[in-house]
Amino acid sequence: LMGRDGSTVADIEIPRNKAKDVVNCDFFRTPFARKRGGCSDVFASTTSETFTATLASLFNFVPGADPTAAQLWGIDAAATPNIQRLTGGTAWATITPQDNIATKPQDVDAAVLNGKLFLAYDSTQDRLQVWDGTSLRRVGVATPAAPTVANTGAGAYAATIRYYKVAYTVQSGGTTVRRAELSASVSFTPSGTGTAARVTKPAALSEGETHWELYASADNTTSYLIATTVVGTTTYDDSATPSAYSGDAPPTVGINTVPTSAKYLLSDGNRLLLAGANESGGKNNRVWFTPVLGSSDVGDDERIPNTTSQKNWIDLDENDGGFITGIGGILDGYPFIFKYSQIWRLVPTGDVDAPYLPRAVQKGSQVGSVNHKGIVMAEDEAG
């Protein structure tokens, strides 16, 4: 073919709509065709690669709206897989995850939401992972253990029973951006000869928590936020009368449930959808979804509500059609869920508490997918 770079006019001209099949050619700056560009070796022009085994997974991450800020992420198949990313320069940077990939680095799945890169892989923890621009960590904040309480000082603080719960939070610029579920409650009756009940926060989670919230109750039913303390301060002395407790109500139980270690991810731009389970005993045919961004502005992209009135998950025939093998879309506004021998479509409802209705697409035809990497978005001849 002549005119490879557009500097020479091709000797043959043919209308594009007359070509029935064009293989490895494009029509850029030529009336006929030109040879399609091939591939180049990225490592030939980069440095600091620390991959020691076969590259098992590669994916692209655009942290914002500017595609020129795209990052290339790579994971190899070493015994402890190496994770690296290539940003705007030519030097690869090594990522140290909070939880290493335990098995099958070739099955790592990724999705982008709210400027974060979410990663689904099998680790030793039943938790989803996320790159937040600073670290690759567990999603959300785990539920802490119950606090401990003891008498402090000398005085006449009344021997009235009360109950305490705590929640760890992550603050940024004075604003809470993530919150754990409330701990179990602990009851305590002061001795009557102290000055206060000294509450000691539970063991650290090492999940980025910056503060701990203390909730108190006179009857173990109605609780109030009585203190928010930086994690560096491990105790709080409560000298209030339980009947006079006041403050903000605690978050609804289950509203800040952390996402499980799912196998497959999909973002619709406002929610993150998760499917399958890496851990034994998990739900292999369940699809979870986060709240719409802005629902509470407290970790909306890192929690899966599971309350008495709101359950952000859907089960798709747990014991029929094999288990979920991947997620596809969004196509015409619909996420598609693939099993070995079933295909499901999630139909948006507009209902905040029940945003999707599952509808079988190929339930009886024994059509499905064997692997999530075989599911791609593409155009057919009708566009």
Side-chain angles (χ1 to χ4, degrees):
L1 296 175
M2 302 296 292
R4 173 66 180 88
D5 60 0
S7 62
T8 305
V9 178
D11 293 335
I12 303 173
E13 182 172 354
I14 181 172
R16 299 182 189 183
N17 62 354
K18 295 299 183 183
K20 286 189 174 182
D21 191 20
V22 179
V23 179
N24 286 332
C25 294
D26 63 38
F27 294 98
F28 180 69
R29 298 178 66 183
T30 176
F32 174 52
R34 92 177 169 160
K35 182 180 177 182
R36 179 179 64 85
C39 298
S40 61
D41 182 1
V42 173
F43 290 161
S45 58
T46 60
T47 60
S48 305
E49 304 93 355
T50 60
F51 300 114
T52 60
T54 302
L55 281 171
S57 292
L58 285 171
F59 41 89
N60 185 60
F61 169 45
V62 180
D66 182 6
T68 64
Q71 303 176 12
L72 177 63
W73 282 62
I75 301 172
D76 73 6
T80 298
N82 296 293
I83 305 174
Q84 287 197 289
R85 66 177 181 136
L86 184 64
T87 55
T90 59
W92 288 83
T94 298
I95 303 298
T96 302
Q98 183 174 5
D99 301 313
N100 285 316
I101 300 171
T103 63
K104 298 182 179 179
Q106 70 273 17
D107 285 343
V108 176
D109 201 13
V112 178
L113 178 67
N114 200 24
K116 303 175 184 177
L117 177 66
F118 291 85
L119 297 177
Y121 60 78
D122 184 22
S123 70
T124 58
Q125 300 290 324
D126 189 10
R127 296 283 290 280
L128 190 67
Q129 311 288 323
V130 63
W131 170 259
D132 58 10
T134 301
S135 62
L136 181 54
R137 57 170 174 80
R138 298 167 191 162
V139 172
V141 183
T143 303
T148 56
V149 194
N151 293 291
T152 185
Y157 187 43
T160 305
I161 191 171
R162 78 284 313 281
Y163 304 84
Y164 298 104
K165 298 179 181 180
V166 299
Y168 277 121
T169 66
V170 178
Q171 288 192 15
S172 177
T175 300
T176 299
V177 295
R178 282 186 284 145
R179 176 180 281 115
E181 279 288 292
L182 282 174
S183 71
S185 67
V186 59
S187 63
F188 181 72
T189 302
S191 62
T193 60
T195 57
R198 174 162 289 180
V199 183
T200 301
K201 74 179 183 70
L205 301 172
S206 299
E207 295 189 0
E209 64 271 20
T210 61
H211 293 72
W212 58 288
E213 297 176 336
L214 177 61
Y215 294 85
S217 172
D219 56 7
N220 205 26
T221 299
T222 303
S223 298
Y224 301 94
L225 175 63
I226 63 170
T228 299
T229 311
V230 296
V231 292
T233 301
T234 60
T235 63
Y236 177 81
D237 290 347
D238 175 25
S239 57
T241 302
S243 60
Y245 284 148
S246 64
D248 293 339
T252 303
V253 174
I255 201 71
N256 293 304
T257 304
V258 296
T260 186
S261 179
K263 284 186 175 181
Y264 314 111
L265 303 175
L266 180 69
S267 169
D268 69 359
N270 288 306
R271 297 180 187 270
L272 185 69
L273 287 84
L274 308 82
N278 275 312
E279 303 302 320
S280 60
K283 295 290 187 178
N284 287 309
N285 286 295
R286 177 166 291 183
V287 179
W288 296 266
F289 43 89
T290 61
V292 171
L293 292 176
S295 296
S296 72
D297 291 325
V298 181
D300 292 331
D301 55 351
E302 299 194 28
R303 59 188 180 93
I304 305 290
N306 184 13
T307 72
T308 55
S309 62
Q310 183 181 4
K311 297 187 182 299
N312 278 36
W313 46 264
I314 296 172
D315 285 330
L316 303 177
D317 287 358
E318 182 66 25
N319 297 311
D320 188 19
F323 47 80
I324 292 175
T325 56
I327 310 180
I330 303 291
L331 180 63
D332 293 333
Y334 304 119
F336 283 78
I337 313 301
F338 292 80
K339 301 172 72 169
Y340 272 117
S341 57
Q342 291 181 3
I343 302 175
W344 292 76
R345 179 177 63 183
L346 301 185
V347 181
T349 64
D351 185 340
V352 173
D353 294 329
Y356 297 112
L357 286 176
R359 292 290 182 263
V361 177
Q362 297 283 358
K363 186 175 180 180
S365 66
Q366 301 301 303
V367 175
S369 174
V370 296
N371 189 279
H372 72 109
K373 292 191 176 181
I375 302 169
V376 297
M377 286 278 288
E379 290 188 2
D380 61 13
E381 68 277 6

